[in-house]
Amino acid sequence: MSLLERLEKEKKVTTLNRSETAESKLRRHRVDPLLQFKAKVHERLVETIDPELLKNSEYEESAEQIKALVEEAIAGVGEEEFPDLPRAERNKLRDEVISEVLGFGPITGLLQDDSISEIMVNGPKQVFVERHGKLELSDVTFRDDAHVLQIIDKIVSPLGRRIDESSPMVDARLPDGSRVNAIIPPLALNGPTITIRKFSRDPLTVNDLIRFGTINEQMAEFLEACVKIRLNIVVSGGTGSGKTTTLNVLSSFIPPDERIITVEDAAELQLRQEHVVSLEARPANIEGKGEISIRDLVKNCLRMRPDRIVVGEVRGGEALDMLQAMNTGHDGSLTTGHANSPRDMLARLETMVLMSGMDLPVRAIREQIASAIDLIIQQARLKDGSRRITHITEVQGMEGDVIVLQDLFVFEQKGVTEDGKIIGQLRSTGIRPKFWERFATAGISLPPDLFAIY
């Protein structure tokens, strides 16, 4: 639904409201005097705003023109019908209408707040945010379910995606790359629900991760070297543990003279290299046709002469194609997966390979995994809300029917501060990885005491 259509819908609602009794009008005006004012402003904007201007609202010049029209409509309606409305209320109304036209309604301010990492809309009257790893209830609300649905539609429509009763769930992204999931009634009993995983306007760097305590300088140097010698790396962890952020940082270590192909459900990786080709999966259309899955894209990217393949997340049959790519010359590939530990990540990979529909014996699958993956980086979100790398684990190969794993670094918790912050750091297990010699071959010098135990 376009913005013009939405404004016309508001106008129809206003027209219907005129048929209300005088008593109900008075009651509604008493409850929220801004409601009628806003409806009048919307009505005037439908009459004055140019649809072509709305199509180009992402351009600064068009946005300024739209803001001027909103100001003019508010001033006109205020002078003609609401002369006693305080200036503060008018300014509040102006910001709300501009947010509706150019932003995403009531949550626009939350999206612009850099201290907020996640926004959770649980129906029209309850909006939670995550700030510094902790959940808190915001003072933001929507008018009703229809208002939330309007914002969802504004998010998904430009991406060619839809949400309705026949397709009540959708994954999408905002223009800045933030990840969006929406689910509506009858599946969501509290009303239309939106979950937004915000991304930083500027991609986080390895220095940011060191500052946050996710890793230390030695580990960062080690991981950079692992990417440069083209190890196949899987970043595993639970929901919200920071896997995609770590994948972004690892991807930043890829040399600029290599061709990178990224494959994602919803494009959110923020690579700074010049030679990057981003592929995004496509859901089926209203007729159930036209779906392009991650597995299709992984197969296709093998024909695109990639130096590196970066898959946002493996969660199904594409795991088999990813493993085969790693085993057939496309080393240096990176991906993420949901798991609670490095061992669990291997078990999930086995399950995902079976989801591809190939009737393979378990031993054959494990041999594929053991020969394809070199390193597993386990990430966790701790009780204090901090995100830490808890394990850096080498996949050493097969021993009988079992894949042998060896922890190289493990997070060691030392205690908790008075304000609940967890104290700890990654510690070496004292074991050098089997690929140690590859660093010398590549001319990379690491500190000799990197694997020393203190």
Side-chain angles (χ1 to χ4, degrees):
M1 185 187 296
S2 68
L3 178 60
L4 190 62
E5 290 171 335
R6 287 197 296 272
L7 291 173
E8 288 174 343
K9 187 176 179 181
E10 292 274 357
K11 183 178 178 181
K12 290 177 183 176
V13 170
T14 305
T15 304
L16 288 173
N17 285 340
R18 288 173 182 156
S19 64
E20 298 177 17
T21 64
E23 183 182 352
S24 63
K25 275 186 175 182
L26 184 62
R27 184 170 61 251
R28 183 161 54 81
H29 185 77
R30 242 189 347 254
V31 172
D32 187 359
L34 290 179
L35 188 61
Q36 287 182 328
F37 192 1
K38 187 183 288 188
K40 290 283 187 183
V41 171
H42 276 277
E43 188 176 344
R44 183 161 298 195
L45 285 174
V46 169
E47 297 170 356
T48 59
I49 204 161
D50 183 358
E52 291 299 318
L53 193 62
L54 296 175
K55 292 179 182 177
N56 300 316
S57 61
E58 68 270 18
Y59 298 111
E60 186 175 348
E61 185 177 346
S62 299
E64 291 301 322
Q65 292 181 40
I66 291 171
K67 287 179 182 179
L69 288 172
V70 171
E71 295 270 13
E72 186 179 322
I74 289 174
V77 172
E79 290 175 6
E80 296 169 13
E81 303 189 38
F82 296 86
D84 297 329
L85 195 69
R87 179 179 295 275
E89 298 290 353
R90 288 196 193 188
N91 291 339
K92 178 183 176 183
L93 178 67
R94 178 199 62 208
D95 294 340
E96 288 181 4
V97 174
I98 289 175
S99 294
E100 295 282 351
V101 176
L102 298 177
F104 296 102
I107 60 174
T108 301
L110 303 180
L111 290 168
Q112 294 170 347
D113 187 342
D114 291 336
S115 68
I116 293 174
S117 57
E118 198 144 3
I119 301 168
M120 291 142 280
V121 180
N122 305 334
K125 302 304 179 185
Q126 191 182 69
V127 180
F128 279 88
V129 298
E130 180 189 276
R131 185 180 272 112
H132 307 305
K134 297 291 186 180
L135 288 181
E136 57 185 66
L137 180 64
S138 74
D139 57 358
V140 171
T141 59
F142 290 78
R143 288 194 307 274
D144 49 30
D145 284 0
H147 193 192
V148 184
L149 286 169
Q150 175 184 320
I151 299 305
I152 294 174
D153 186 69
K154 187 170 185 180
I155 292 170
V156 304
S157 293
L159 303 176
R161 305 196 176 191
R162 64 189 177 87
I163 188 165
D164 50 40
E165 286 190 7
S166 62
S167 180
M169 299 181 291
V170 69
D171 287 313
R173 56 182 164 80
L174 298 180
D176 65 356
S178 296
R179 185 191 311 171
V180 181
N181 174 270
I183 182 168
I184 64 173
L187 302 187
L189 303 183
N190 295 341
T193 302
I194 312 172
T195 308
I196 301 175
R197 178 79 52 79
K198 283 179 58 183
F199 269 25
S200 304
R201 294 176 187 173
D202 296 318
L204 294 178
T205 65
V206 66
N207 291 329
D208 292 318
L209 294 193
I210 293 171
R211 181 163 49 86
F212 297 152
T214 303
I215 54 175
N216 57 40
E217 292 184 11
Q218 282 190 319
M219 296 310 99
E221 188 177 355
F222 173 71
L223 292 178
E224 180 176 3
C226 290
V227 172
K228 288 182 176 178
I229 65 171
R230 304 180 68 88
L231 296 185
N232 293 321
I233 301 174
V234 176
V235 181
S236 65
T239 301
S241 60
K243 298 185 300 297
T244 303
T245 299
T246 298
L247 184 64
N248 257 324
V249 170
L250 292 176
S251 300
S252 70
F253 298 143
I254 298 174
D257 59 346
E258 295 187 16
R259 176 176 169 86
I260 306 168
I261 312 290
T262 69
V263 179
E264 300 172 85
D265 244 345
E268 53 189 348
L269 290 173
Q270 302 167 295
L271 273 63
R272 292 297 183 91
Q273 288 88 338
E274 183 178 3
H275 199 163
V276 178
V277 178
S278 300
L279 306 181
E280 184 178 51
R282 185 179 71 186
N285 61 19
I286 196 168
E287 298 172 350
K289 300 178 181 178
E291 178 184 9
I292 305 296
S293 67
I294 286 188
R295 188 173 187 190
D296 296 327
L297 294 178
V298 170
K299 289 178 181 176
N300 187 79
C301 79
L302 298 178
R303 306 183 184 99
M304 298 174 66
R305 199 253 174 229
D307 287 314
R308 305 274 187 151
I309 300 172
V310 181
V311 179
E313 181 184 338
V314 288
R315 58 167 68 91
E318 65 273 5
L320 176 61
D321 303 286
M322 185 73 190
L323 291 173
Q324 288 181 325
M326 291 175 172
N327 276 322
T328 54
H330 295 92
D331 50 352
S333 298
L334 306 171
T335 189
T336 73
H338 281 85
N340 294 325
S341 69
R343 178 64 64 182
D344 287 348
M345 187 68 243
L346 297 185
R348 284 213 67 224
L349 281 171
E350 287 182 34
T351 304
M352 288 188 280
V353 170
L354 293 172
M355 290 169 64
S356 68
M358 302 293 290
D359 188 16
L360 296 172
V362 172
R363 181 176 176 83
I365 297 173
R366 290 178 180 175
E367 286 177 345
Q368 284 269 335
I369 294 172
S371 60
I373 298 172
D374 299 303
L375 203 65
I376 298 174
I377 300 171
Q378 180 69 31
Q379 189 139 346
R381 181 176 172 180
L382 305 182
K383 289 182 179 179
D384 63 350
S386 63
R387 295 165 172 88
R388 304 287 185 98
I389 290 176
T390 59
H391 295 77
I392 298 179
T393 303
E394 180 188 16
V395 181
Q396 293 192 323
M398 292 283 291
E399 191 172 290
D401 290 336
V402 179
I403 300 175
V404 179
L405 296 181
Q406 178 60 60
D407 291 335
L408 303 177
F409 301 94
V410 177
F411 180 77
E412 180 183 306
Q413 183 174 335
K414 293 183 177 180
V416 181
T417 63
E418 291 182 358
D419 58 352
K421 294 292 183 183
I422 291 176
I423 304 171
Q425 64 179 2
L426 277 171
R427 290 281 191 185
S428 170
T429 60
I431 299 173
R432 286 191 177 188
K434 285 188 173 182
F435 52 78
W436 176 258
E437 293 180 357
R438 292 172 61 177
F439 293 129
T441 303
I444 297 173
S445 177
L446 291 174
D449 61 345
L450 182 62
F451 297 98
I453 300 178
Y454 295 99

